[in-house]
Structure formats: C-alpha cells, structure tokens
Amino acid sequence: MVKVQRSFPAPASLETESRKLSGSYHEPDVIERLKQDFHNK
C-alpha cells in the first residue's frame, strides 16, 4: 500500500457536487487535483 499525502483544500466543485442528489466527480478541477496528488498514476 502506498501512502498518499492529500492536498488541501478540496476542489471547489466537490462541495457543489456533494449537494446534488447524484453528484459527479468528473469535474476538470477534481481530475487535475487527483493527477497531482497521485503523480499521474
């Protein structure tokens, strides 16, 4: 298992999507942050 240091604060779109009944994680800022945090893996 590889430890991942998460970056803060979370992308702004996560907060707006979490309010929706069926929110999506497929927002450009979320995908970019995940690429940074996981070093494009």
Side-chain angles (χ1 to χ4, degrees):
M1 182 179 289
V2 177
K3 285 207 156 224
V4 174
Q5 189 71 19
R6 294 183 183 143
S7 56
F8 290 97
S13 67
L14 282 180
E15 184 176 341
T16 57
E17 290 294 319
S18 68
R19 293 181 189 148
K20 297 178 184 177
L21 187 57
S22 61
S24 171
Y25 293 107
H26 299 290
E27 299 296 321
D29 60 341
V30 175
I31 293 171
E32 187 59 37
R33 181 69 61 88
L34 287 171
K35 284 183 182 179
Q36 290 174 359
D37 287 352
F38 288 94
H39 304 286
N40 291 323
K41 292 185 180 178

